[in-house]
Each structure stands twice: as structure tokens, then as C-alpha cells.
Amino acid sequence: MKAWLIALSAVVTRENLRFVRQRGRFLAALVRPLVWLIVFAAGFRAALGVSIIPPYQTYITYEVYILPGLCGMIQLFNGMQSSLALVYDQEMGSMRLLLTSPLPRWWLLFSKLLAGVIVSILQVAVFLGIAALTGITVPPIGYVAVLPALVISGLMLGAFGLLISSTVRQLENFAGVMNFVIFPMFFLSSALYPLWKMAESSPLLRDICALNPFTYAVELIRFALYGELDLTALVWVGTCFILFMLAALWGYNPARAMLRSKG
């Protein structure tokens, strides 16, 4: 157990040091959601006000509605960036060296995953602080209650990133994969619009959004910010995390990699 904790500490420390040194990554993680919050939301405020829906107790403005979705956006992009680092590590050999450790492979990958989640939570905390300075706040209890939701949603999105990285051989191919994964996941979710509003224009589009795991990550964060638990979202996110993690472990199986290289 001591060796396991040492490995976890080393991986988490390495990931955080990398994040601290890459200031551009931190700024990019904040600029993207802030543009949506300050620029787009302000322009859409009059046209896209949202009526009373759980967990809200009154009518809300558009920027209040998209706040949880932008928190999810930060975690989604961070999960993919962590996966990009994995692809780079595989090319440079450091990931291969890590996976040759006598520790269980699932623990090493989980350590990498947890390190990415910690980074994403720090990014979300700073984003929520900036949002509060602009007048977009949530109940005080929400800033505490959202932490478990961020951990669970971050694990799910990070595991999805791990799964993607296990299928990509070259770093050059990863950018295309991100464009075909991140943007559809984000836009085909409840991050920007409630599902009932989507159903008004296209029931099929609403059904697609309802099957998107990112939708439930956003709803889990949304309810947590108001001190409530969305049990359905929790079950969906937890189930998807387990499935994505198992698939990622299968993808990083060295025996499978050898068969693939021979094929």
C-alpha cells in the first residue's frame, strides 16, 4: 500500500508541476468559458431567458443557466488535454516506462486520471470565483456541495479521455479526434440549452442530447451548485465512468498493443 501511495503522489505531483509551468494552458482553460459567460451570454440574455425548472426556484437569466455547463466544459477540455499528454508520453516513452512498474496497471492509470481531475477542479474553482466577481453567484452551500460532483464528473470525463488516448497511435491524429468528440459532446448536451427547449425544435435532437453522458455530468454539477442531488445524473455518470475506465484498461493492455502492432 505504501508503494501505491508513493506512485499516486508522484503522478499527481508531476501533473500539477506540469500544469503550473504551462501557464498558457491555465489561461486557455479560463478564457474559453469566460468568453461564453461574458460575451455570448450577455448577448443572448434577452432572447434565451430560462423559465422555472429544477433546481431553480425562480426565473433565471441565461448566464446563470449556462454556468454549470461551462464548469463541465472546463472539465471536458481538461480531460482531453490530459489525454493529449498521454499520447505525447507514449511517443516519448515516459508512459511506457510508467506502465512497466510492478504496480497494477489500473492503479497507475487511475493515478493519472485523478491527477487530471485535481487540476480541473482548481480551474473550475478559479472560474467560479471570477463569475462571482461579475455578479453570477450560487448559494454559499453550493460552492461546497459541488466538490463531490466535480470529482465524479471529472473522473468520468477523464476516463473517456483515457479511452480515446488508448486508440490513438500518433500525436498528429489526436487533434482531429478532439474536434469530432469535444464539440459534439458539448453542443449536443444541456450545457447551453435545457432539453425541453430542444424538444420544441427537434424531438430527435432532444433524444440525442439525453443519451449524451456529458449532459448528465452538467446536470450533476447544476444541482450540486444549489445543494441538491440529481440521482439520475449520478447513476448515469457513475455507470459511464466504470464503462469508460474498463474500456481504457482494455485499450492499454500490452497484449492487445502487441497484437495490434503485429497486425
Side-chain angles (χ1 to χ4, degrees):
M1 181 59 66
K2 183 179 180 180
W4 289 31
L5 295 178
I6 291 175
L8 173 62
S9 176
V11 173
V12 171
T13 301
R14 179 176 182 269
E15 188 69 20
N16 280 273
L17 286 176
R18 173 187 287 180
F19 174 71
V20 170
R21 293 169 182 170
Q22 297 174 347
R23 298 181 181 178
R25 175 182 170 186
F26 177 73
L27 293 176
L30 292 179
V31 168
R32 197 178 298 112
L34 285 175
V35 168
W36 275 98
L37 186 66
I38 298 175
V39 180
F40 289 96
F44 294 154
R45 180 186 301 172
L48 296 173
V50 181
S51 60
I52 302 175
I53 56 174
Y56 308 109
Q57 302 299 321
T58 183
Y59 291 94
I60 58 172
T61 58
Y62 183 61
E63 54 262 45
V64 172
Y65 176 80
I66 67 171
L67 184 67
L70 297 180
C71 292
M73 171 198 276
I74 293 174
Q75 291 199 303
L76 176 62
F77 275 84
N78 184 78
M80 294 302 162
Q81 286 179 328
S82 297
S83 301
L84 176 62
L86 272 176
V87 176
Y88 177 80
D89 287 345
Q90 288 184 83
E91 286 194 348
M92 299 304 294
S94 56
M95 187 62 188
R96 294 193 188 99
L97 182 62
L98 176 66
L99 294 178
T100 57
S101 166
L103 293 174
R105 182 174 300 270
W106 68 267
W107 177 253
L108 296 172
L109 290 175
F110 179 77
S111 299
K112 181 72 174 178
L113 177 59
L114 186 60
V117 172
I118 293 173
V119 170
S120 71
I121 291 176
L122 293 175
Q123 293 173 333
V124 171
V126 175
F127 171 71
L128 289 175
I130 296 175
L133 292 177
T134 63
I136 305 172
T137 60
V138 299
I141 187 64
Y143 293 107
V144 178
V146 76
L147 181 58
L150 291 174
V151 172
I152 299 171
S153 59
L155 287 173
M156 187 268 285
L157 295 172
F160 183 66
L162 277 178
L163 173 59
I164 293 177
S165 68
S166 70
T167 64
V168 178
R169 297 187 185 183
Q170 296 180 341
L171 191 62
E172 293 79 7
N173 299 332
F174 195 77
V177 173
M178 289 180 67
N179 289 331
F180 282 102
V181 172
I182 287 184
F183 293 110
M185 282 192 74
F186 178 69
F187 288 109
L188 294 176
S189 71
S190 61
L192 300 179
Y193 317 101
L195 295 185
W196 66 265
K197 188 175 285 291
M198 291 185 179
E200 291 179 352
S201 60
S202 173
L204 176 60
L205 183 61
R206 187 266 176 200
D207 293 339
I208 294 174
C209 295
L211 294 175
N212 184 357
F214 184 67
T215 292
Y216 297 96
V218 171
E219 293 307 307
L220 186 65
I221 296 171
R222 187 187 311 281
F223 277 77
L225 283 172
Y226 289 84
E228 299 183 23
L229 173 64
D230 187 336
L231 187 59
T232 301
L234 178 62
V235 171
W236 267 85
V237 172
T239 302
C240 289
F241 163 63
I242 294 173
L243 293 177
F244 292 154
M245 193 66 189
L246 290 176
L249 290 173
W250 177 76
Y252 276 100
N253 189 330
R256 176 179 173 272
M258 290 180 62
L259 290 174
R260 186 174 60 182
S261 62
K262 291 180 180 179

